[in-house]
């Protein structure tokens, strides 16, 4: 079973058009309504987890200001009655990046692995910098370890999301409300491109802090539901893809190209994510025969065991069927659709 949520551009008719297309007006509006939206602290925020190549391991990532330079995660079974000394802990890695942005951004990114998980078991974890006071540890978060042998998966799908500028915050609330009010236990969340909308008219002005705003809103569910992403044109932020490359860690069951294209088995489904942004980022995203991505796609689709994983799902940001046959549907139908037919992609 598949739970699908439409991209938040469906809601744009309810917002002032100046907020979508005029970045200066949006910046001014945000400064009035988004208290604290520019600030990063030493306490971890924007927690989000992702599946990895190892079925019993997930990764957790988070963001802080530059005073926090260490990464550590501790976890235990959620039904444990012992003290925190029974936790298992692991060190992670920390780094920063320098984006092309029209407003300065300085922060630290961190990631660490939670390993040795029992599928279907409830766990809780916290992340922190071991060199800082204990009061700067994150809140404790509970999650259910991914299960490989489930027959039914609930996956929330989204695209063109953003935060306030495209009312993506409403989509985030919907996912969280579905969890609480309808008792839905999502197995994953997959955002198929155009994530934070830090640039509204790529590759023009970019405000990197929108990535922080976006990931704060997603943390309400992404801190316990594995979050996976694909690349869209609005993820080419101000002339680079630094945020997209640095802020996420996608599983590589069949080693692809970092976050640009990747594949991963999840129970009875094999997810394959491709990059369709050939005009903005041709070096990474070209997919015509003879390119790296095309060769990877054919090798990956041909190697998947359809007895073990009967469902094969491929996604990319651009539509394969639309009226835009020049830049979107035409090349996809010419080069990619034959692969889908050849390998019986669902």
């Amino acid at each position: 079973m598949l739970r699908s949520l439409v991209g938040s551009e469906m809601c744009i008719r309810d917002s002032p058009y100046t907020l979508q297309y005029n970045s200066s007006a949006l910046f001014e509006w945000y400064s009035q309504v988004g208290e604290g939206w520019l600030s990063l602290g030493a306490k971890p925020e924007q927690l989000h987890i992702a599946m990895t190549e190892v079925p019993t391991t997930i990764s957790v990532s988070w963001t802080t200001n530059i005073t926090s330079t260490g990464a550590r995660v501790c976890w235990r079974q959620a039904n444990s009655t012992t003290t925190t000394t029974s936790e298992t802990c692991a060190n992670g890695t920390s780094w920063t990046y320098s984006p092309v942005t029209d407003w300065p951004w300085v922060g630290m990114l961190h990631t660490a692995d939670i390993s040795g998980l029992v599928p279907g078991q409830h766990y809780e974890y916290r992340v922190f910098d071991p060199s800082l006071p204990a009061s700067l540890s994150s809140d404790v978060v509970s999650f259910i370890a991914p299960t490989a042998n489930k027959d039914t998966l609930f996956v929330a799908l989204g695209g063109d999301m953003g935060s306030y500028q495209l009312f993506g915050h409403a989509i985030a609330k919907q996912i969280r409300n579905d969890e609480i009010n309808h008792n839905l236990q999502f197995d994953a969340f997959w955002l198929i491109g155009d994530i934070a909308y830090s640039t509204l008219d790529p590759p023009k002005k970019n405000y990197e802090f929108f990535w922080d705003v976006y990931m704060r809103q997603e943390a309400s569910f992404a801190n316990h539901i594995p979050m996976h992403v694909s690349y869209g044109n609005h993820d080419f932020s101000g002339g680079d893809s630094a945020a997209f490359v640095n802020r996420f860690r996608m599983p590589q069951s069949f080693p692809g190209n970092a976050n640009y294209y990747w594949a991963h088995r999840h129970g009875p489904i094999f997810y394959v994510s491709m990059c369709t942004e050939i005009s903005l980022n041709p070096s990474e995203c070209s997919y015509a025969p003879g390119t790296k991505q095309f060769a990877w796609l054919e090798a990956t689709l041909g190697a998947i065991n359809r007895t073990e994983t009967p469902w094969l799902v491929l996604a990319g940001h651009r539509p394969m069927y639309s009226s835009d046959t020049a830049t979107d549907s035409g090349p996809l139908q010419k080069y990619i659709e034959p692969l889908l037919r050849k390998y019986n992609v669902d």
Side-chain angles (χ1 to χ4, degrees), residues 15 19 43 53 79 84 146 150 180 199 201 263-264 321 337:
S15 63
L19 297 187
K43 185 171 182 176
E53 302 81 13
N79 59 0
T84 55
K150 292 181 69 174
I180 298 171
T199 177
D201 188 15
H264 178 64
Y321 305 104
E337 188 176 29

Side-chain angles (χ1 to χ4, degrees), residues 43 47 74-76 78 84 87 123-127 137-143 223:
K43 185 171 182 176
L47 276 66
C74 293
W75 68 95
R76 64 175 182 173
T84 55
E87 293 177 320
Y123 290 88
E124 59 186 23
Y125 73 91
R126 60 192 179 94
V127 298
S137 173
S138 73
D139 296 334
V140 175
V141 179
S142 299
F143 71 98
N223 63 6

Side-chain angles (χ1 to χ4, degrees), residues 53-114:
E53 302 81 13
V54 181
T56 56
T57 298
I58 66 165
S59 66
V60 56
S61 302
W62 65 98
T63 305
T64 65
N65 64 18
I66 59 174
T67 63
S68 176
T69 58
R72 191 165 177 81
V73 60
C74 293
W75 68 95
R76 64 175 182 173
Q77 291 190 3
N79 59 0
S80 174
T81 58
T82 58
T83 66
T84 55
T85 56
S86 66
E87 293 177 320
T88 301
C89 298
N91 292 326
T93 57
S94 303
W95 70 98
T96 189
Y97 66 99
S98 300
V100 176
T101 177
D102 291 85
W103 187 271
W105 181 89
V106 180
M108 292 295 294
L109 305 180
H110 316 266
T111 189
D113 285 345
I114 300 175

Side-chain angles (χ1 to χ4, degrees), residues 226-268:
M227 178 179 181
H228 299 138
V229 295
S230 300
Y231 187 73
N233 55 301
H234 283 275
D235 304 319
F236 187 77
S237 304
D240 70 17
S241 307
F244 178 81
V245 171
N246 281 277
R247 289 176 180 257
F248 304 100
R249 179 181 169 188
M250 294 300 96
Q252 298 285 345
S253 297
F254 285 89
N257 185 4
N259 297 333
Y260 289 109
Y261 45 91
W262 51 269
H264 178 64
R265 178 185 176 183
H266 184 194

Side-chain angles (χ1 to χ4, degrees), residues 222-345:
N223 63 6
H224 60 278
I225 300 173
M227 178 179 181
H228 299 138
V229 295
S230 300
Y231 187 73
N233 55 301
H234 283 275
D235 304 319
F236 187 77
S237 304
D240 70 17
S241 307
F244 178 81
V245 171
N246 281 277
R247 289 176 180 257
F248 304 100
R249 179 181 169 188
M250 294 300 96
Q252 298 285 345
S253 297
F254 285 89
N257 185 4
N259 297 333
Y260 289 109
Y261 45 91
W262 51 269
H264 178 64
R265 178 185 176 183
H266 184 194
I269 303 175
F270 223 108
Y271 306 122
V272 180
S273 176
M274 68 171 293
C275 184
T276 60
E277 302 312 305
I278 55 178
S279 60
L280 286 174
N281 200 341
S283 63
E284 306 292 349
C285 300
S286 296
Y287 53 76
T291 62
K292 292 185 299 182
Q293 183 173 201
F294 184 91
W296 175 84
L297 271 173
E298 181 151 42
T300 299
L301 295 176
I304 294 172
N305 187 325
R306 300 301 292 275
T307 300
E308 295 179 353
T309 48
W311 295 98
L312 176 55
V313 178
L314 181 142
H317 181 63
R318 301 280 175 169
M320 183 164 291
Y321 305 104
S322 75
S323 58
D324 185 358
T325 58
T327 60
D328 286 352
S329 301
L332 286 167
Q333 290 179 27
K334 180 178 181 181
Y335 303 132
I336 303 302
E337 188 176 29
L339 290 181
L340 305 189
R341 296 183 181 279
K342 178 179 180 180
Y343 295 106
N344 297 314
V345 175

